[in-house]
Short mmCIF file of all heavy atoms in Angstrom, two decimals:
data_model
loop_
_atom_site.label_atom_id
_atom_site.label_comp_id
_atom_site.label_asym_id
_atom_site.label_seq_id
_atom_site.Cartn_x
_atom_site.Cartn_y
_atom_site.Cartn_z
N ILE A 338 74.11 38.43 55.77
CA ILE A 338 73.15 39.48 55.43
C ILE A 338 71.96 39.32 56.36
O ILE A 338 71.38 38.24 56.47
CB ILE A 338 72.74 39.39 53.95
CG1 ILE A 338 73.97 39.61 53.07
CG2 ILE A 338 71.64 40.38 53.63
CD1 ILE A 338 73.75 39.35 51.60
N LEU A 339 71.58 40.41 57.05
CA LEU A 339 70.51 40.39 58.04
C LEU A 339 69.28 41.14 57.54
O LEU A 339 69.28 41.70 56.45
CB LEU A 339 71.02 40.99 59.35
CG LEU A 339 72.28 40.33 59.92
CD1 LEU A 339 72.81 41.12 61.11
CD2 LEU A 339 71.99 38.89 60.31
N LYS A 340 68.25 41.18 58.39
CA LYS A 340 67.01 41.89 58.08
C LYS A 340 67.31 43.35 57.78
O LYS A 340 68.13 43.98 58.45
CB LYS A 340 66.07 41.78 59.28
CG LYS A 340 64.75 42.44 59.08
CD LYS A 340 63.89 42.29 60.34
CE LYS A 340 62.61 43.10 60.19
NZ LYS A 340 61.84 43.10 61.40
N LEU A 341 66.63 43.93 56.77
CA LEU A 341 66.87 45.30 56.33
C LEU A 341 66.43 46.31 57.39
O LEU A 341 65.57 46.01 58.23
CB LEU A 341 66.10 45.57 55.04
CG LEU A 341 66.48 44.69 53.85
CD1 LEU A 341 65.56 44.98 52.67
CD2 LEU A 341 67.94 44.88 53.46
N MET A 342 67.03 47.50 57.34
CA MET A 342 66.63 48.59 58.24
C MET A 342 65.19 49.00 57.92
O MET A 342 64.76 48.94 56.77
CB MET A 342 67.54 49.81 58.05
CG MET A 342 68.98 49.57 58.43
SD MET A 342 70.02 51.00 58.08
CE MET A 342 69.54 52.08 59.42
N THR A 343 64.47 49.45 58.92
CA THR A 343 63.11 49.93 58.73
C THR A 343 63.09 51.17 57.84
O THR A 343 62.26 51.30 56.95
CB THR A 343 62.46 50.27 60.09
OG1 THR A 343 62.59 49.14 60.94
CG2 THR A 343 61.00 50.62 59.94
N VAL A 344 64.01 52.08 58.09
CA VAL A 344 64.12 53.31 57.31
C VAL A 344 65.54 53.38 56.73
O VAL A 344 66.51 53.51 57.48
CB VAL A 344 63.86 54.55 58.21
CG1 VAL A 344 64.09 55.84 57.43
CG2 VAL A 344 62.45 54.51 58.78
N PRO A 345 65.69 53.28 55.39
CA PRO A 345 67.02 53.38 54.78
C PRO A 345 67.62 54.75 55.04
O PRO A 345 66.92 55.76 54.91
CB PRO A 345 66.75 53.20 53.28
CG PRO A 345 65.34 52.74 53.16
CD PRO A 345 64.64 53.12 54.41
N ARG A 346 68.92 54.79 55.43
CA ARG A 346 69.55 56.08 55.67
C ARG A 346 71.06 55.93 55.79
O ARG A 346 71.58 54.83 55.83
CB ARG A 346 68.98 56.76 56.90
CG ARG A 346 69.10 55.96 58.17
CD ARG A 346 68.12 56.54 59.20
NE ARG A 346 68.33 56.01 60.51
CZ ARG A 346 67.84 54.86 60.94
NH1 ARG A 346 67.13 54.11 60.15
NH2 ARG A 346 68.07 54.45 62.17
N HIS A 347 71.73 57.06 55.89
CA HIS A 347 73.19 57.09 56.01
C HIS A 347 73.56 58.18 57.01
O HIS A 347 72.70 58.94 57.47
CB HIS A 347 73.85 57.37 54.66
CG HIS A 347 73.74 58.81 54.25
ND1 HIS A 347 74.75 59.71 54.47
CD2 HIS A 347 72.73 59.50 53.69
CE1 HIS A 347 74.36 60.90 54.05
NE2 HIS A 347 73.13 60.79 53.57
N GLY A 348 74.85 58.26 57.35
CA GLY A 348 75.33 59.34 58.20
C GLY A 348 74.89 59.22 59.64
O GLY A 348 74.78 60.21 60.34
N SER A 349 74.63 58.02 60.10
CA SER A 349 74.22 57.80 61.48
C SER A 349 75.36 57.15 62.23
O SER A 349 76.49 57.08 61.74
CB SER A 349 72.97 56.91 61.50
OG SER A 349 72.44 56.85 62.81
N SER A 350 75.08 56.66 63.40
CA SER A 350 76.05 55.93 64.21
C SER A 350 75.32 54.75 64.83
O SER A 350 74.10 54.66 64.76
CB SER A 350 76.60 56.82 65.33
OG SER A 350 77.32 57.89 64.80
N ALA A 351 76.07 53.84 65.43
CA ALA A 351 75.47 52.69 66.09
C ALA A 351 76.23 52.42 67.38
O ALA A 351 77.44 52.58 67.43
CB ALA A 351 75.54 51.46 65.17
N VAL A 352 75.50 52.03 68.40
CA VAL A 352 76.11 51.75 69.69
C VAL A 352 75.38 50.58 70.35
O VAL A 352 74.18 50.39 70.14
CB VAL A 352 76.11 53.00 70.60
CG1 VAL A 352 74.71 53.37 71.02
CG2 VAL A 352 77.00 52.82 71.78
N VAL A 353 76.11 49.77 71.11
CA VAL A 353 75.56 48.60 71.78
C VAL A 353 75.31 48.91 73.25
O VAL A 353 76.17 49.46 73.93
CB VAL A 353 76.53 47.39 71.69
CG1 VAL A 353 75.98 46.19 72.42
CG2 VAL A 353 76.82 47.06 70.24
N VAL A 354 74.11 48.54 73.71
CA VAL A 354 73.78 48.59 75.13
C VAL A 354 73.13 47.24 75.44
O VAL A 354 72.07 46.92 74.90
CB VAL A 354 72.80 49.74 75.46
CG1 VAL A 354 72.44 49.71 76.95
CG2 VAL A 354 73.39 51.08 75.08
N GLY A 355 73.80 46.44 76.26
CA GLY A 355 73.28 45.10 76.56
C GLY A 355 73.26 44.26 75.30
O GLY A 355 74.26 44.12 74.61
N ASN A 356 72.08 43.73 74.95
CA ASN A 356 71.94 42.93 73.74
C ASN A 356 71.23 43.69 72.62
O ASN A 356 70.66 43.09 71.73
CB ASN A 356 71.21 41.62 74.04
CG ASN A 356 69.75 41.84 74.37
OD1 ASN A 356 69.35 42.93 74.80
ND2 ASN A 356 68.94 40.82 74.18
N LYS A 357 71.27 45.02 72.68
CA LYS A 357 70.61 45.83 71.66
C LYS A 357 71.58 46.81 71.03
O LYS A 357 72.49 47.32 71.68
CB LYS A 357 69.43 46.59 72.26
CG LYS A 357 68.34 45.64 72.73
CD LYS A 357 67.14 46.37 73.21
CE LYS A 357 66.12 45.31 73.63
NZ LYS A 357 64.90 45.88 74.09
N ILE A 358 71.36 47.07 69.72
CA ILE A 358 72.13 48.07 68.99
C ILE A 358 71.17 49.21 68.67
O ILE A 358 70.10 48.99 68.10
CB ILE A 358 72.73 47.49 67.69
CG1 ILE A 358 73.67 46.33 68.01
CG2 ILE A 358 73.46 48.59 66.91
CD1 ILE A 358 74.20 45.62 66.77
N TYR A 359 71.58 50.43 69.01
CA TYR A 359 70.77 51.62 68.77
C TYR A 359 71.37 52.41 67.61
O TYR A 359 72.57 52.67 67.59
CB TYR A 359 70.73 52.50 70.02
CG TYR A 359 69.99 51.85 71.17
CD1 TYR A 359 70.65 50.98 72.03
CD2 TYR A 359 68.65 52.10 71.38
CE1 TYR A 359 69.99 50.37 73.09
CE2 TYR A 359 67.96 51.48 72.43
CZ TYR A 359 68.64 50.63 73.28
OH TYR A 359 67.98 50.03 74.31
N ILE A 360 70.51 52.79 66.62
CA ILE A 360 70.94 53.55 65.46
C ILE A 360 70.01 54.77 65.33
O ILE A 360 68.87 54.64 64.88
CB ILE A 360 70.90 52.73 64.15
CG1 ILE A 360 71.72 51.45 64.31
CG2 ILE A 360 71.43 53.52 62.98
CD1 ILE A 360 70.86 50.25 64.47
N PRO A 361 70.48 55.96 65.75
CA PRO A 361 69.62 57.15 65.71
C PRO A 361 69.78 57.97 64.44
O PRO A 361 70.87 58.10 63.90
CB PRO A 361 70.14 57.96 66.91
CG PRO A 361 71.59 57.63 66.94
CD PRO A 361 71.71 56.19 66.47
N GLY A 362 68.66 58.53 63.96
CA GLY A 362 68.67 59.52 62.90
C GLY A 362 69.42 59.15 61.65
O GLY A 362 69.64 57.99 61.35
N GLY A 363 69.78 60.19 60.90
CA GLY A 363 70.54 60.01 59.67
C GLY A 363 69.89 60.71 58.49
O GLY A 363 68.82 61.31 58.59
N GLY A 364 70.56 60.62 57.35
CA GLY A 364 70.08 61.26 56.13
C GLY A 364 69.27 60.28 55.29
O GLY A 364 69.64 59.13 55.12
N LEU A 365 68.15 60.78 54.75
CA LEU A 365 67.26 59.95 53.94
C LEU A 365 67.63 59.97 52.46
O LEU A 365 66.97 59.32 51.66
CB LEU A 365 65.81 60.42 54.11
CG LEU A 365 65.26 60.27 55.53
CD1 LEU A 365 63.86 60.90 55.62
CD2 LEU A 365 65.22 58.81 55.94
N GLN A 366 68.64 60.76 52.10
CA GLN A 366 69.11 60.77 50.72
C GLN A 366 70.61 61.01 50.72
O GLN A 366 71.16 61.58 51.66
CB GLN A 366 68.39 61.83 49.92
CG GLN A 366 68.80 63.26 50.29
CD GLN A 366 67.78 64.27 49.86
OE1 GLN A 366 66.64 64.20 50.27
NE2 GLN A 366 68.20 65.20 49.02
N GLN A 367 71.25 60.54 49.69
CA GLN A 367 72.70 60.70 49.55
C GLN A 367 73.06 62.18 49.56
O GLN A 367 72.37 62.99 48.95
CB GLN A 367 73.14 60.06 48.25
CG GLN A 367 74.63 60.13 48.01
CD GLN A 367 75.02 59.34 46.77
OE1 GLN A 367 74.45 58.31 46.50
NE2 GLN A 367 75.99 59.86 46.04
N ASP A 368 74.14 62.53 50.25
CA ASP A 368 74.59 63.93 50.28
C ASP A 368 74.84 64.43 48.87
O ASP A 368 75.42 63.73 48.04
CB ASP A 368 75.87 64.07 51.10
CG ASP A 368 75.60 64.05 52.59
OD1 ASP A 368 74.42 64.09 52.99
OD2 ASP A 368 76.57 63.99 53.36
N GLY A 369 74.37 65.65 48.60
CA GLY A 369 74.58 66.28 47.31
C GLY A 369 73.56 65.88 46.27
O GLY A 369 73.58 66.39 45.15
N LEU A 370 72.63 64.98 46.61
CA LEU A 370 71.64 64.49 45.66
C LEU A 370 70.30 65.17 45.92
O LEU A 370 69.80 65.17 47.05
CB LEU A 370 71.48 62.97 45.84
CG LEU A 370 70.50 62.25 44.94
CD1 LEU A 370 70.97 62.29 43.49
CD2 LEU A 370 70.36 60.79 45.38
N THR A 371 69.72 65.77 44.89
CA THR A 371 68.40 66.36 45.02
C THR A 371 67.36 65.29 44.71
O THR A 371 67.45 64.61 43.69
CB THR A 371 68.22 67.56 44.06
OG1 THR A 371 69.22 68.52 44.35
CG2 THR A 371 66.85 68.18 44.20
N VAL A 372 66.37 65.14 45.60
CA VAL A 372 65.33 64.15 45.44
C VAL A 372 63.98 64.87 45.39
O VAL A 372 63.73 65.77 46.19
CB VAL A 372 65.34 63.12 46.60
CG1 VAL A 372 64.19 62.17 46.50
CG2 VAL A 372 66.66 62.36 46.60
N VAL A 373 63.10 64.48 44.48
CA VAL A 373 61.78 65.08 44.38
C VAL A 373 60.78 64.19 45.12
O VAL A 373 60.63 63.00 44.83
CB VAL A 373 61.35 65.24 42.90
CG1 VAL A 373 59.95 65.82 42.81
CG2 VAL A 373 62.35 66.12 42.17
N VAL A 374 60.12 64.78 46.14
CA VAL A 374 59.10 64.08 46.93
C VAL A 374 57.80 64.85 46.78
O VAL A 374 57.73 66.04 47.12
CB VAL A 374 59.51 64.00 48.42
CG1 VAL A 374 58.44 63.29 49.23
CG2 VAL A 374 60.86 63.31 48.57
N ASP A 375 56.76 64.20 46.26
CA ASP A 375 55.46 64.84 46.01
C ASP A 375 55.61 66.12 45.20
O ASP A 375 54.98 67.14 45.48
CB ASP A 375 54.74 65.14 47.34
CG ASP A 375 54.40 63.88 48.11
OD1 ASP A 375 54.12 62.84 47.46
OD2 ASP A 375 54.42 63.92 49.35
N GLY A 376 56.48 66.09 44.20
CA GLY A 376 56.68 67.22 43.30
C GLY A 376 57.56 68.33 43.86
O GLY A 376 57.78 69.33 43.19
N ILE A 377 58.07 68.16 45.08
CA ILE A 377 58.90 69.19 45.71
C ILE A 377 60.34 68.69 45.81
O ILE A 377 60.57 67.63 46.39
CB ILE A 377 58.37 69.55 47.11
CG1 ILE A 377 56.93 70.05 47.02
CG2 ILE A 377 59.26 70.59 47.79
CD1 ILE A 377 56.24 70.18 48.35
N PRO A 378 61.30 69.45 45.24
CA PRO A 378 62.71 69.01 45.34
C PRO A 378 63.25 69.21 46.77
O PRO A 378 63.00 70.24 47.38
CB PRO A 378 63.44 69.90 44.34
CG PRO A 378 62.54 71.05 44.07
CD PRO A 378 61.15 70.64 44.43
N HIS A 379 63.95 68.22 47.26
CA HIS A 379 64.58 68.28 48.59
C HIS A 379 66.08 68.05 48.41
O HIS A 379 66.49 67.13 47.73
CB HIS A 379 64.03 67.19 49.52
CG HIS A 379 62.60 67.38 49.87
ND1 HIS A 379 62.20 68.11 50.95
CD2 HIS A 379 61.47 66.93 49.27
CE1 HIS A 379 60.87 68.11 51.02
NE2 HIS A 379 60.41 67.40 50.02
N PHE A 380 66.87 68.91 49.04
CA PHE A 380 68.31 68.77 48.98
C PHE A 380 68.85 68.18 50.26
O PHE A 380 69.85 67.51 50.28
CB PHE A 380 68.95 70.13 48.68
CG PHE A 380 70.40 70.03 48.32
CD1 PHE A 380 70.80 69.37 47.18
CD2 PHE A 380 71.37 70.59 49.13
CE1 PHE A 380 72.14 69.27 46.83
CE2 PHE A 380 72.71 70.50 48.80
CZ PHE A 380 73.08 69.84 47.64
N LEU A 381 68.18 68.44 51.37
CA LEU A 381 68.57 67.87 52.66
C LEU A 381 67.32 67.28 53.28
O LEU A 381 66.35 67.98 53.54
CB LEU A 381 69.15 68.94 53.58
CG LEU A 381 69.43 68.51 55.01
CD1 LEU A 381 70.51 67.42 55.03
CD2 LEU A 381 69.89 69.68 55.85
N ASN A 382 67.31 65.99 53.47
CA ASN A 382 66.14 65.30 53.99
C ASN A 382 66.63 64.34 55.07
O ASN A 382 67.23 63.33 54.77
CB ASN A 382 65.44 64.55 52.85
CG ASN A 382 64.03 64.15 53.20
OD1 ASN A 382 63.48 64.56 54.21
ND2 ASN A 382 63.44 63.34 52.35
N THR A 383 66.41 64.70 56.34
CA THR A 383 66.90 63.89 57.45
C THR A 383 65.73 63.29 58.22
O THR A 383 64.58 63.63 58.00
CB THR A 383 67.76 64.73 58.41
OG1 THR A 383 66.96 65.78 58.93
CG2 THR A 383 68.97 65.29 57.70
N THR A 384 66.06 62.39 59.14
CA THR A 384 65.03 61.75 59.96
C THR A 384 65.49 61.68 61.40
O THR A 384 66.68 61.63 61.68
CB THR A 384 64.71 60.33 59.45
OG1 THR A 384 63.66 59.78 60.26
CG2 THR A 384 65.91 59.42 59.51
N ASN A 385 64.52 61.65 62.30
CA ASN A 385 64.84 61.41 63.70
C ASN A 385 64.46 59.98 64.09
O ASN A 385 64.39 59.64 65.26
CB ASN A 385 64.14 62.43 64.62
CG ASN A 385 62.63 62.35 64.53
OD1 ASN A 385 62.07 61.56 63.77
ND2 ASN A 385 61.96 63.19 65.28
#
Side-chain angles (χ1 to χ4, degrees):
I338 297 172
L339 304 172
K340 181 181 174 186
L341 300 175
M342 296 176 76
T343 307
V344 175
R346 58 198 191 277
H347 76 97
S349 188
S350 296
V352 68
V353 178
V354 178
N356 70 336
K357 295 185 179 181
I358 300 175
Y359 293 86
I360 305 105
L365 297 174
Q366 71 200 59
Q367 181 174 324
D368 282 351
L370 181 66
T371 302
V372 175
V373 178
V374 179
D375 296 327
I377 301 169
H379 293 271
F380 192 64
L381 173 64
N382 196 10
T383 61
T384 182
N385 62 359

